[in-house]
Amino acid sequence: MTNSPGSDTGVATAGAQAGAAVVRDMYGRQLSRIDKGAGDFATAADVEAEKAILAVIRAARPGDAVLGEEGGQQGAAGARRQWLVDPLCGTLNYAVGTMLVAVNVALRDGAAAVADPFSGEVFFTDGETAWARHDGADDAALTPTSATRLVDVNLDPPFPNAPGFRAVDLLAHPEFVARFRPRVVSTTLALAWVAAGKRAAYVTDGGGFTDSVHFAAGIALCRAAGCIVTGIDGAPLEEADRGLVVAADEETHGQLMSMTGGGAR
């Protein structure tokens, strides 16, 4: 793993940490909200954290394009090198004083980092291996495991694959109840937790995951850590783009596929 300050991994990690510092510093304040429609909104912390991340990227990689959750596209959309930035995933949690949020920074098809502003953890990958760092301690390789039996299921809309697949139905499936225990975190921090062995799996409906500012960093981490990453039908994300299932191992993935109606990968 190359995570020197000048490497892409180092840039992703530094960017995520810079955004996390802003999120942590602004926590608990009365923050203005920016309405995005359909019940979605950003806060001043989202905007300021993205500025901090962009400052890191611009200083280290001035020629790269960036797609930010708040600032949109900067640079050519079809650029060979493009950073995907979600400065505060879990804005609703954050706005009501819940510390379950993530800061996501990913170079498309390359390095990525996910920072937890409140635990001090940052999870990062060079695209081949995945590691975690906690408050400056020595880096530790991420090791997925299903031992916890905890599965995070995202219940937020939209639900494009209903009625064939509905996440809420998965929670009531007899086999799910027998094998797993559900959790609902409402932030892509849960993806990093699968890579780190804190969760057995993560399930969500939707689409457009591989190019998403929300999901790109977490998916990169999970793939590098050796997790099983598919759609809810078991197909590779790039082929079907039907929902997202990330499992710590083949056995857990197979069990979830039998409950969602997905076939073999």
Side-chain angles (χ1 to χ4, degrees), residues 79-158:
R80 185 180 66 83
R81 289 174 56 90
Q82 182 183 47
W83 294 86
L84 305 172
V85 174
D86 183 358
L88 178 48
C89 183
T91 299
L92 181 56
N93 284 347
Y94 185 80
V96 298
T98 302
M99 295 182 180
L100 288 173
V101 300
V103 177
N104 301 319
V105 179
L107 177 63
R108 189 187 300 275
D109 300 322
V114 175
D116 180 340
F118 299 104
S119 74
E121 290 177 301
V122 58
F123 308 90
F124 55 92
T125 177
D126 58 3
E128 297 181 0
T129 57
W131 299 74
R133 180 179 299 166
H134 188 282
D135 287 335
D138 291 342
D139 299 343
L142 297 186
T143 306
T145 173
S146 59
T148 66
R149 313 311 295 169
L150 300 178
V151 176
D152 264 301
V153 180
N154 182 11
L155 301 178
D156 289 340

Side-chain angles (χ1 to χ4, degrees), residues 19-222:
V22 173
V23 169
R24 190 166 51 249
D25 181 63
M26 297 184 72
Y27 179 74
R29 302 184 190 179
Q30 289 292 113
L31 300 174
S32 59
R33 296 190 180 190
I34 304 163
D35 184 25
K36 296 183 177 182
D40 191 17
F41 64 90
T43 70
D46 298 67
V47 175
E48 293 305 315
E50 183 164 303
K51 289 179 181 177
I53 296 167
L54 293 182
V56 172
I57 295 173
R58 287 285 171 248
R61 300 289 188 272
D64 289 359
V66 177
L67 177 61
E69 167 71 3
E70 309 309 329
Q73 181 68 43
Q74 299 183 38
R80 185 180 66 83
R81 289 174 56 90
Q82 182 183 47
W83 294 86
L84 305 172
V85 174
D86 183 358
L88 178 48
C89 183
T91 299
L92 181 56
N93 284 347
Y94 185 80
V96 298
T98 302
M99 295 182 180
L100 288 173
V101 300
V103 177
N104 301 319
V105 179
L107 177 63
R108 189 187 300 275
D109 300 322
V114 175
D116 180 340
F118 299 104
S119 74
E121 290 177 301
V122 58
F123 308 90
F124 55 92
T125 177
D126 58 3
E128 297 181 0
T129 57
W131 299 74
R133 180 179 299 166
H134 188 282
D135 287 335
D138 291 342
D139 299 343
L142 297 186
T143 306
T145 173
S146 59
T148 66
R149 313 311 295 169
L150 300 178
V151 176
D152 264 301
V153 180
N154 182 11
L155 301 178
D156 289 340
F159 310 116
N161 292 299
F165 169 79
R166 293 189 300 186
V168 68
D169 293 337
L170 178 64
L171 300 181
H173 194 292
E175 291 186 30
F176 187 94
V177 173
R179 297 175 186 272
F180 302 112
R181 290 293 177 268
R183 293 292 184 271
V184 181
V185 172
S186 297
T187 169
T188 53
L189 183 62
L191 282 170
W193 288 350
V194 179
K198 298 182 179 184
R199 292 288 190 270
Y202 173 87
V203 181
T204 187
D205 201 349
F209 295 102
T210 55
D211 294 328
S212 167
V213 296
H214 306 289
F215 287 92
I219 288 172
L221 274 175
C222 289

